[in-house]
Amino acid sequence: MAAGNHSTVTEFILAGLTQKPELQLLLFLFFLGTYVVTVMGNLGMITLIGLSSHLHTPMYYFLSSLSFIDLCYSTVITPKMLVNFVTEKNTISYPECMTQLYLFVVFAVAESHMLAMMAYDRYVAICKPLLYNVTMSYQVCSCLIVEVYVMGLTGATAHTGCMLRVVFCKAKIINHYFCDVLPLLELSCSSTYINEVVVLCSSVFNVVAPTLTILGSYVSIIASVLRIHSTEGRSKAFSTCSSHFLAVTLFYGSLAFMYLQPSNVSSMDQSKVSSVFYTIIVPMLNPLIYSLRNKDVKAALNKIIEKRLFCISKDL
């Protein structure tokens, strides 16, 4: 391609969720409230697990890491989105766009693998309880956490590195509310073959592989639980997995809805709604799911509140 046929892009325009001015303030207030709940919920979960000694187990070690990922995940997307609701022109510079893309992929991939690690943890706890302390030792859990972030950093480096070589010479309007891989590739006038190969490989390693791990874990869990003769035992076993299963369903369900549909204009608008769910709503819901449906978390929270109230009354 001749050098005169394109110009260097220095900034993009984010189309956002809607072009209707009357909805901007309403959406700003909604997503601001959502972000506040997300920050408070995930920070609260991390703090609670850190302060409660009886929550220092592999299950809650993974949960605190998931809360950290959700907090960062939402922070990469939501603040910029909120600014765009109250500004006339929704622009983002090229370096900011590439940075947002990199961080988004890091935490999206990390969340996918973290959910798989949590499913494996539940599998070991229910199917191999006698070996649980050895199989899920502190050293093993630490290695698994490191692996989660390594996968995230590797995926982000691959996607962003390939995106940096793409020449953008079409319209600079990104039909999305943040810099995602597929909407950016639609603006390219150079070959995106390598990017598409990376997207395919990334989908296999970061979506299909964790999904198979989760499915395999739950098939084994269900088979093991069905062999329990006690109704109370079955109920207790299922209750330890219910929160995680709901979190997995929300995350992968919205992800599948976005990426496993025909690529046309209407579906792109639908995919923006779907991506709102897994980038903003799911990080808010996860701490609520794990706190409201978990007796240990509620007991730990009540214990800390009682301890604080006791200290206050003692000081008075």
Side-chain angles (χ1 to χ4, degrees):
M1 181 180 293
N5 289 345
H6 65 272
S7 58
T8 303
V9 173
T10 58
E11 68 176 17
F12 297 99
I13 298 173
L14 294 168
L17 283 174
T18 179
Q19 300 298 318
K20 298 179 180 179
E22 64 272 16
L23 294 178
Q24 300 292 327
L25 179 60
L26 183 63
L27 289 174
F28 172 81
L29 294 174
F30 172 76
F31 287 112
L32 176 62
T34 300
Y35 184 61
V36 170
V37 173
T38 301
V39 172
M40 292 179 63
N42 286 291
L43 280 179
M45 185 65 73
I46 294 169
T47 304
L48 181 63
I49 293 172
L51 293 176
S52 303
S53 57
H54 74 281
L55 294 182
H56 293 174
T57 63
M59 174 182 174
Y60 296 104
Y61 183 40
F62 288 130
L63 180 54
S64 63
S65 296
L66 179 67
S67 293
F68 174 75
I69 290 170
D70 281 335
L71 178 62
C72 297
Y73 192 29
S74 181
T75 301
V76 169
I77 305 296
T78 312
K80 178 61 179 175
M81 182 190 205
L82 292 174
V83 171
N84 288 341
F85 279 130
V86 294
T87 55
E88 186 175 346
K89 194 175 181 181
N90 303 339
T91 60
I92 183 170
S93 69
Y94 181 84
E96 288 176 337
C97 186
M98 293 300 108
T99 301
Q100 186 183 57
L101 172 65
Y102 184 86
L103 294 175
F104 163 70
V105 176
V106 167
F107 295 113
V109 171
E111 173 130 356
S112 180
H113 286 279
M114 184 60 68
L115 290 172
M117 297 302 178
M118 294 174 74
Y120 176 71
D121 171 73
R122 293 299 82 206
Y123 158 75
V124 176
I126 293 175
C127 300
K128 300 180 179 180
L130 299 179
L131 298 175
Y132 183 73
N133 291 332
V134 176
T135 307
M136 301 303 294
S137 65
Y138 177 78
Q139 291 77 10
V140 172
C141 291
S142 298
C143 289
L144 292 176
I145 295 292
V146 170
E147 180 186 342
V148 165
Y149 288 107
V150 168
M151 293 297 290
L153 292 169
T154 302
T157 302
H159 279 296
T160 310
C162 291
M163 193 64 71
L164 290 173
R165 58 174 290 280
V166 171
V167 176
F168 298 101
C169 59
K170 295 183 181 179
K172 298 188 294 183
I173 300 176
I174 301 174
N175 189 18
H176 218 307
Y177 57 91
F178 70 98
C179 293
D180 198 359
V181 176
L182 298 183
L184 277 170
L185 291 180
E186 291 183 352
L187 304 182
S188 171
C189 64
S190 61
S191 174
T192 59
Y193 176 76
I194 295 177
N195 300 74
E196 291 167 7
V197 171
V198 170
V199 169
L200 179 61
C201 294
S202 178
S203 299
V204 172
F205 286 109
N206 301 317
V207 178
V208 177
T211 300
L212 292 178
T213 300
I214 292 169
L215 289 176
S217 298
Y218 274 104
V219 168
S220 299
I221 288 171
I222 292 172
S224 181
V225 169
L226 292 178
R227 289 196 292 267
I228 300 175
H229 298 292
S230 168
T231 303
E232 183 180 351
R234 288 184 181 182
S235 177
K236 185 177 180 180
F238 276 125
S239 66
T240 63
C241 302
S242 59
S243 297
H244 177 261
F245 183 77
L246 181 56
V248 167
T249 302
L250 290 172
F251 181 75
Y252 282 101
S254 56
L255 204 63
F257 182 81
M258 177 175 179
Y259 290 103
L260 301 180
Q261 60 177 334
S263 56
N264 52 54
V265 176
S266 62
S267 70
M268 178 55 74
D269 294 334
Q270 293 173 7
S271 71
K272 285 194 284 187
V273 176
S274 176
S275 62
V276 164
F277 201 75
Y278 77 80
T279 59
I280 299 175
I281 304 300
V282 169
M284 178 192 70
L285 291 178
N286 279 344
L288 298 177
I289 291 170
Y290 281 101
S291 60
L292 297 177
R293 298 179 61 86
N294 191 300
K295 294 180 180 179
D296 292 336
V297 172
K298 288 189 286 187
L301 181 60
N302 290 333
K303 188 175 180 180
I304 289 178
I305 292 174
E306 290 173 2
K307 186 176 180 180
R308 293 292 181 185
L309 291 175
F310 175 76
C311 292
I312 292 173
S313 61
K314 187 176 180 181
D315 292 338
L316 295 175

